[in-house]
Amino acid sequence: MKPVLLVIAHGSRDPRHAATVHALVRRVRSLRPDVRVETGFLDFNIPSVQGVLESLAAEGVRDVVALPLLLTRAFHAKADIPAVLRDAPPQLRIRQAEVLGPSPLLLSALERRLYEAGLTPADKSSTGVVLASAGSTDPEAIAVIADIAREWRHTGWCAVRPAFASAALPRTEDAVRELRALGCAKVAVAPYVLAPGFLPDRIARGAADADVLAGVLGAAPEVARVLLRRYDAAAARGLLRLTVSA
């Protein structure tokens, strides 16, 4: 029996968030019908992570891979999720998978969204891109976003600048202005976020002076493929009861 895949999303009062998470999970299920996939939310939405874990234990499930639906390894992945998993029913054997990012597949998904928003490959060398993430107080997460921006720049864009909707600078609008000042013929904003919500809406407002605003990553096929790679890697690890942050 393959471990159950429990996708752990943050949750939001914005109904678009849960709808997008469920769309992504449906895509994952279509790619791997041999794997049982469940969804739990840390806050705002149901079912809760704890509720799903209790239901699985009551069914007799023993092995679970808990996958944080997160792009960077910050507070939720390091503290919140391990704390919830430690309170799971004791008969469950749980492995926490790595967060989704960074991954070359996510860069491919970002480009997909930019092209869907109106850019073409011919625009690449003359277009500056703002890599706009939600932001974090965790220095590791901020450094990862900066590293991704540098890596993405080397794939042929005129320039790539990181930006943050909260907790760190620069903001999206500041990065847009910087790229204009650099002389990029076009400026595009690529939200490095998984689902709509309060912070993605702030990114969108900051993109008001950009030429192109891409959609969120959402249920892009590349995101589903990364998710399954993280699941497979965690499922291959030894079965150890989770007692510390993964």
Side-chain angles (χ1 to χ4, degrees):
M1 291 289 292
K2 294 181 182 295
V4 171
L5 168 55
L6 172 58
V7 176
I8 300 178
H10 183 274
S12 171
R13 293 186 178 91
D14 189 323
R16 297 173 298 169
H17 174 90
T20 302
V21 170
H22 291 311
L24 174 60
V25 168
R26 286 194 297 272
R27 185 179 287 276
V28 170
R29 288 181 178 138
S30 71
L31 292 173
R32 291 286 293 276
D34 60 320
V35 175
R36 179 178 174 181
V37 186
E38 300 291 341
T39 308
F41 295 90
L42 290 173
D43 206 353
F44 301 116
N45 302 106
I46 56 174
S48 68
V49 175
Q50 188 66 30
V52 174
L53 291 170
E54 290 173 357
S55 294
L56 291 174
E59 290 180 32
V61 170
R62 291 295 176 263
D63 294 329
V64 176
V65 168
L67 191 148
L69 198 59
L70 301 168
L71 294 172
T72 57
R73 190 171 179 272
F75 181 78
H76 292 305
K78 294 178 179 179
D80 282 354
I81 291 174
V84 171
L85 298 181
R86 281 195 293 271
D87 289 336
Q91 63 266 43
L92 291 176
R93 294 173 294 196
I94 303 174
R95 285 156 286 183
Q96 182 176 332
E98 294 296 328
V99 298
L100 300 182
S103 167
L105 281 171
L106 295 178
L107 290 181
S108 297
L110 288 167
E111 294 205 7
R112 170 193 290 273
R113 294 302 188 223
L114 286 170
Y115 295 146
E116 289 171 349
L119 289 181
T120 70
D123 296 319
K124 196 166 185 178
S125 63
S126 60
T127 299
V129 179
V130 178
L131 179 67
S133 77
S136 173
T137 57
D138 189 310
E140 177 187 347
I142 297 302
V144 165
I145 299 300
D147 288 343
I148 293 170
R150 282 192 291 270
E151 178 182 348
W152 204 15
R153 163 68 182 85
H154 294 312
T155 66
W157 296 101
C158 175
V160 180
R161 294 290 185 271
F164 307 94
S166 67
L169 296 174
R171 295 286 184 258
T172 301
E173 53 269 33
D174 299 326
V176 169
R177 283 193 292 269
E178 181 183 353
L179 291 171
R180 291 279 187 220
L182 283 175
C184 298
K186 291 184 178 180
V187 175
V189 174
Y192 190 60
V193 293
L194 286 166
F198 177 75
L199 293 178
D201 284 349
R202 181 179 288 177
I203 290 171
R205 291 192 297 271
D209 292 331
D211 300 293
V212 173
L213 170 63
V216 299
L217 292 170
E222 297 88 350
V223 178
R225 287 166 58 196
V226 173
L227 195 154
L228 286 169
R229 287 185 181 184
R230 300 292 185 258
Y231 165 79
D232 287 337
R237 296 204 301 262
L239 289 170
L240 296 173
R241 174 69 184 174
L242 181 87
T243 56
V244 296
S245 173

